[in-house]
Amino acid sequence: MESHSGITVQRALELPGLRAGLPEVVAGADRLDRAVRWVHAGEVPNIASLLKGGELLLTTGLGLGARPADQRAFVRRLADRGIAALVVELGPRFGRLPAPIVDAARSAGLPLVQLHREVPFVAVTEEVHTEIVNGHYALLQQAEEVHRRATRALLDGGGVPQVLGTLADFTANPVFLETPDGRLLYAAATGAGPVGADPLQVWEGMRGDRAARETPPAGAVLVDVPGGGPETGAVRARLVLLAVAGPLATVHRMAAERAAGLLAVVLMQARQEEELTARGRGDFLTDLAGGRIAPQDAPAQARVLGFRPGRAPLLPVVMRLAPELSPSGSWAVLARAVLEELASIGVPVLLGVRPVEGRVPLLLGLRSEDERTAVADRVAAALRAGVGRAGLDRAGAHPPVVVVGVAGGWAVAGAGLRHASETATAAQGLDDRPWYDARRLDIDLLLWRLRDHPDLAAFVDRAIGPLREHDRASRPPLLPTLQSYLEHAGRKAETARDLHLNRQTLYNRLARIGELLGTDLDDPETVLALSLALRARRHTR
């Protein structure tokens, strides 16, 4: 990647100012793609000491010396300084460039150009500088456009993955975010082309081991993300752009430097590297559940994140906090507490957090499906304890909901996570349990999916509307009696014990319910409709 923005030597020779001098390239014709950072004109023998590299040097040759040795030394010093090209105007000093100068330039690989006509150097300087400034401004505009798109992604609710994705699309190459010591946090690939399929395999091959981190691949761009500590120059993370699909240019570094500023703000909000890692795993699990990661690609990506379950069945688990709780607690503490507790189980665990959604997705590698219940008990207890340690609970708030999905392989892991996540939302408001089995809440999930359909509200109103009206105006309420009666499958003795009622009182209440609803509580169709209505009322206004 070019270290400086500018134009090439070839482009400078094509501008009207130098073209009027009838330029002839006598050495270094294969290096005219060098970038011209600046233009300098001078005639002193020690002019090399005044240059920084990347200059197009204009001269009439007065400072080149008369002796071949001086001329060769002059050219070598310029080449060592790293100038872009040497342009000599023929005239009183040289009718044609001497062989020692040409040979020295060829030997050093320095582009050497002779002008056959006199040109005003000041006009050439102004023209080239204008081209450089315009080119630099164009690069700035491109980089700023990337910055605007990334900012818009953040304002629309995105995070680190969206910023990296914007940068990857712009560079047409994979982009990574790593910790200061080189551990991978996030990966993003351009949306098209072969690289977009699996950026994590690219990472493992080009950046994954320690040697590759200490010696970056050729053409890579590394940009520090500031803010890792109170000291000046502290680094919180590092952006890594790898030249896989094509070379990286100056404008890509410029865009990465602007993206680093945005990432510093995002990471500052995350506060802790542990939380950032957990968020990255949460993004992976969410993408897997959303079908954005193919099942055949998931194992390799999971391995990079430290999850190596082998051929064990995968158990999806999702915890969702109550909607009234603020997601502002320490999610890093939650992740750490859960992982410490589950370490004693001896099963592989991939835990992620999604603070904005109040959700914690997990995948666990079971030794066999027979241990599903035992592992679920331990996971649910660890999650609930972690919520307390992280300060994510509040007195009077609903307890978190933990849903355990169906164990299976990678082919169904995404669907299992999605099913468990939706079920966790549908289960909010149910009687508190340590954990819910996703397989036993399919009716609740179906009703939740229909929550915005007006027919569901109409059905609830037809089925139990009179009871709701009664309970708003009269005592004792009758809906709890109906709920218990249905939960005990119409067994009146068990219902009476559950409600702490004598049998006659229960019989009177059931008769009153039947009267208000105009139905027979012993009719199976009626029982089914009332059971569905009682479940559905949580999802209707």
Side-chain angles (χ1 to χ4, degrees):
M1 189 188 74
E2 297 170 359
S3 58
H4 304 288
S5 61
I7 65 172
T8 64
V9 175
Q10 179 67 52
R11 174 58 182 158
L13 296 178
E14 294 169 351
L15 294 175
L18 285 176
R19 194 171 67 244
L22 300 179
E24 177 189 358
V25 180
V26 294
D30 58 337
R31 303 196 178 192
L32 298 183
D33 59 348
R34 283 186 173 182
V36 176
R37 183 184 61 83
W38 207 239
V39 181
H40 191 83
E43 305 293 348
V44 295
N46 65 338
I47 195 169
S49 63
L50 306 177
L51 305 178
K52 295 181 178 180
E55 293 91 351
L56 182 73
L57 178 61
L58 305 175
T59 181
T60 61
L62 295 177
L64 268 70
R67 298 186 306 163
D70 293 337
Q71 294 170 353
R72 285 192 289 268
F74 182 91
V75 172
R76 282 197 299 269
R77 287 194 295 270
L78 292 178
D80 291 342
R81 206 64 176 176
I83 72 167
L86 172 62
V87 178
V88 182
E89 183 183 81
L90 303 179
R93 181 68 180 87
F94 295 119
R96 188 163 187 84
L97 286 177
I101 296 175
V102 176
D103 292 341
R106 287 173 179 166
S107 178
L110 176 67
L112 176 63
V113 180
Q114 59 184 11
L115 300 179
H116 291 276
R117 286 183 182 174
E118 180 180 342
V119 296
F121 283 177
V122 64
V124 172
T125 300
E126 181 180 89
E127 190 174 56
V128 175
H129 286 177
T130 298
E131 189 83 359
I132 292 172
V133 171
N134 289 343
H136 187 73
Y137 180 68
L139 295 183
L140 283 174
Q141 285 185 310
Q142 293 180 54
E144 285 301 320
E145 177 58 28
V146 175
H147 184 270
R148 281 193 292 271
R149 291 204 299 267
T151 301
R152 173 53 57 190
L154 292 179
L155 293 175
D156 289 341
V160 174
Q162 285 69 34
V163 174
L164 297 187
T166 300
L167 190 57
D169 286 342
F170 177 65
T171 64
N173 277 293
V175 176
F176 306 90
L177 188 69
E178 65 181 26
T179 62
D181 62 355
R183 288 184 293 109
L184 181 63
L185 295 173
Y186 286 88
T190 180
V195 179
D198 193 352
L200 293 176
Q201 288 188 355
V202 174
W203 169 268
E204 284 192 310
M206 299 183 66
R207 186 75 176 158
D209 58 41
R210 180 174 295 276
R213 293 196 294 270
E214 293 175 352
T215 305
V221 172
L222 276 65
V223 176
D224 288 340
V225 178
E231 65 274 12
T232 303
V235 178
R236 181 178 295 275
R238 184 173 292 109
L239 262 177
V240 180
L241 284 63
L242 297 179
V244 178
L248 294 165
T250 300
V251 67
H252 298 142
R253 173 177 286 278
M254 296 167 68
E257 289 170 347
R258 282 153 179 76
L262 291 176
L263 291 171
V265 175
V266 176
L267 300 188
M268 190 180 301
Q269 294 172 342
R271 292 190 303 275
Q272 299 183 42
E273 184 181 302
E274 286 179 281
E275 181 171 326
L276 181 61
T277 302
R279 288 186 183 216
R281 290 169 177 163
D283 291 339
F284 166 76
L285 293 171
T286 299
D287 287 343
L288 180 63
R292 293 181 289 277
I293 296 176
Q296 63 269 23
D297 297 330
Q301 298 191 29
R303 283 196 300 272
V304 174
L305 299 175
F307 184 57
R308 296 174 174 84
R311 297 183 178 275
L314 303 177
L315 182 65
V317 178
V318 173
M319 180 181 71
R320 187 177 287 275
L321 300 183
E324 65 266 24
L325 291 176
S326 169
S328 59
S330 177
W331 291 82
V333 172
L334 169 62
R336 190 186 320 122
V338 175
L339 291 175
E340 287 173 356
E341 173 63 25
L342 297 184
S344 62
I345 302 179
V347 298
V349 179
L350 181 62
L351 181 148
V353 299
R354 300 285 288 182
V356 174
E357 303 159 13
R359 183 164 54 86
V360 179
L362 303 90
L363 274 181
L364 300 100
L366 303 178
R367 286 180 287 265
S368 70
E369 294 192 26
D370 294 339
E371 64 177 359
R372 177 177 181 267
T373 299
V375 170
D377 288 339
R378 295 287 297 275
V379 171
L383 286 167
R384 287 170 172 258
V387 167
R389 287 176 58 180
L392 290 165
D393 56 356
R394 192 179 68 222
H398 289 88
V401 172
V402 179
V403 171
V404 178
V406 180
W410 281 109
V412 295
L417 280 168
R418 182 168 60 253
H419 183 211
S421 180
E422 291 184 337
T423 304
T425 302
Q428 289 178 331
L430 291 177
D431 293 339
D432 185 29
R433 296 180 186 175
W435 58 276
Y436 298 89
D437 190 332
R439 296 173 298 189
R440 304 189 63 178
L441 293 180
D442 280 343
I443 291 177
D444 294 274
L445 178 57
L446 176 62
L447 294 172
W448 175 76
R449 288 173 174 168
L450 295 172
R451 64 193 180 279
D452 294 325
H453 199 292
D455 286 352
L456 184 64
F459 163 70
V460 172
D461 190 57
R462 287 194 306 271
I464 61 172
L467 279 189
R468 298 170 90 175
E469 289 295 328
H470 171 275
D471 286 2
R472 278 193 284 265
S474 304
R475 290 291 181 269
L478 297 177
L479 274 172
T481 300
L482 178 61
Q483 179 85 42
S484 179
Y485 178 72
L486 295 176
E487 287 176 355
H488 290 91
R491 294 186 290 270
K492 296 176 182 177
E494 294 179 19
T495 304
R497 282 195 298 270
D498 180 50
L499 297 173
H500 306 289
L501 298 174
N502 61 54
R503 289 196 176 189
Q504 189 57 51
T505 301
L506 175 63
Y507 297 160
N508 292 339
R509 290 190 183 183
L510 292 176
R512 180 60 175 154
I513 291 172
E515 178 185 338
L516 287 170
L517 298 181
T519 190
D520 180 5
L521 295 184
D522 293 325
D523 177 54
E525 294 295 329
T526 298
V527 170
L528 175 60
L530 292 176
S531 298
L532 289 174
L534 288 173
R535 289 189 176 194
R537 63 177 173 155
R538 295 184 299 114
H539 309 303
T540 60
R541 296 181 178 86

